[in-house]
Amino acid sequence: MIRVLLVHDECLVRSVLADWLRREPDLGVFHAPWRGASRRVSTVRPDVCAADLECADSYGIPPLGELGARVPGVPPPRLLVLASANRPGLLKGAVEAGALGYVDKEGAPERLVEGIRLVAEGKRFVDDSLGFGFLRAAEMPLTRRELSVLVLAAEGASVAEIAGSLHLSNGTVRNYMAAITRKTGARNRIDAIRISQGEGWL
Amino acid sequence: MIRVLLVHDECLVRSVLADWLRREPDLGVFHAPWRGASRRVSTVRPDVCAADLECADSYGIPPLGELGARVPGVPPPRLLVLASANRPGLLKGAVEAGALGYVDKEGAPERLVEGIRLVAEGKRFVDDSLGFGFLRAAEMPLTRRELSVLVLAAEGASVAEIAGSLHLSNGTVRNYMAAITRKTGARNRIDAIRISQGEGWL
């Protein structure tokens, strides 16, 4: 029996998906929203976490790291993500979190079952249709520092506030913002934020 | 038999939801993404469109009007939406589009079946848990004109570009932006866009 924790922020969708997965006799299915998922990992002790990369909180960046929360003596669950090729930033985050499985939400649901079984064996599972998303993820143009500036700007912080929280001068923050605008091919700061949120970089 | 067209932008989710709905013997279920949904309405001629308010395109505002596309001699489908209380702007859009049914995605999936049956009879169906969302929708602080300015700003347009497309002076656009920032309780333009997108106003 493979114990699966399905993580999705919409109760209606995750209940129906869990029901649908339960038709497979080798799957034991639990479900949770992102908020509180790490606690559920400790109690359910799933073999596989199947997590939707769309997250209702914190600007849509899912806290993937929390799903690996270790219980002493118990191996962490293997991670499979439900992804889409047009949010390369979220794919990149999943790669960095060590996800083994990548199921395209534009595909057939049977792929999710296949993916869960392979990932449970410690094998990789990647939908071909996500290829272009991985390519764009590899081309992510911003440095970590530029991203942290942009995250604060997207929260509505002023140049002075960003400078204050990152211990930079106002001029340096303006230089970063100019570099971000240029590298994302944006017309201005608001456009840079729009483009970066669309790609899932922040 | 109630003919239902389920509109959702994720193929995996809408296939499983459709499968799940098909267990009800009185429902004939079809599904489509938002893009192309109006064409499917003309061919499927559903009694009820059950549409997810999250839309992958055009800044997440679903083209609800297109679902009503009339075929001569055939009544337009009745509209039920899958909604969440924390996106009051999307709820407001659904009210304006004349939706009869409002199912909370935070609720149990059985509510969707109940909702479809009532809406098919021309009756209203509203999940109580959406109440706070409707309250906030009624409190929407921006005028239509302010919204059209903000939509362009959120697309990355400059003050001069906004002025050009709305046939206003630069000063008037700046006045609108100042009013928008004040009315949304934002710190600056970027913050006003962030707040308004979060609420689903744009």
Side-chain angles (χ1 to χ4, degrees), chain A residues 8-17 19-20 23 52 54 56 59 82 86 103-112 152-158 161 187-191 193-194 197, chain B residues 8-17 19-20 23 52 54 56 59 82 86 103-112 152-158 161 187-191 193-194 197:
Chain A
H8 193 293
D9 266 349
E10 293 175 358
C11 176
L12 191 150
V13 169
R14 70 173 185 268
S15 312
V16 172
L17 273 178
D19 248 27
W20 184 83
R23 303 184 314 182
D52 183 41
E54 307 291 327
Y59 306 95
L82 295 168
N86 57 17
V103 173
D104 188 352
K105 286 193 277 189
E106 279 317 300
E110 289 72 22
R111 299 284 291 167
L112 175 57
L152 292 172
E155 288 169 9
S158 65
E161 286 166 336
R187 289 177 290 174
N188 52 48
R189 286 177 201 184
I190 293 176
D191 203 28
I193 292 168
R194 178 186 69 82
Q197 285 175 335
Chain B
H8 193 293
D9 266 347
E10 294 175 356
C11 176
L12 191 152
V13 168
R14 71 173 184 266
S15 313
V16 172
L17 273 177
D19 248 27
W20 184 83
R23 302 185 315 183
D52 183 41
E54 307 291 327
Y59 306 94
L82 296 169
N86 57 18
V103 173
D104 188 351
K105 287 193 278 188
E106 279 316 300
E110 289 72 22
R111 299 284 290 166
L112 175 57
L152 292 172
E155 288 169 7
S158 65
E161 287 166 337
R187 288 177 290 172
N188 52 48
R189 286 178 201 183
I190 293 176
D191 203 28
I193 292 169
R194 178 185 69 83
Q197 285 175 335

Side-chain angles (χ1 to χ4, degrees), chain A residues 114-135:
Chain A
E114 281 179 61
I116 288 171
R117 291 199 180 114
L118 277 173
V119 166
E121 292 172 17
K123 292 183 185 146
R124 231 177 229 295
F125 178 91
V126 184
D127 265 332
D128 289 346
S129 48
L130 291 172
F132 188 60
F134 284 111
L135 175 67

Side-chain angles (χ1 to χ4, degrees), chain A residues 21-44:
Chain A
L21 286 172
R22 284 191 192 106
R23 303 184 314 182
E24 306 295 324
D26 58 334
L27 303 184
V29 186
F30 305 82
H31 61 83
W34 274 105
R35 194 181 288 258
S38 78
R39 216 170 349 136
R40 290 281 280 162
V41 168
S42 339
T43 53
V44 166

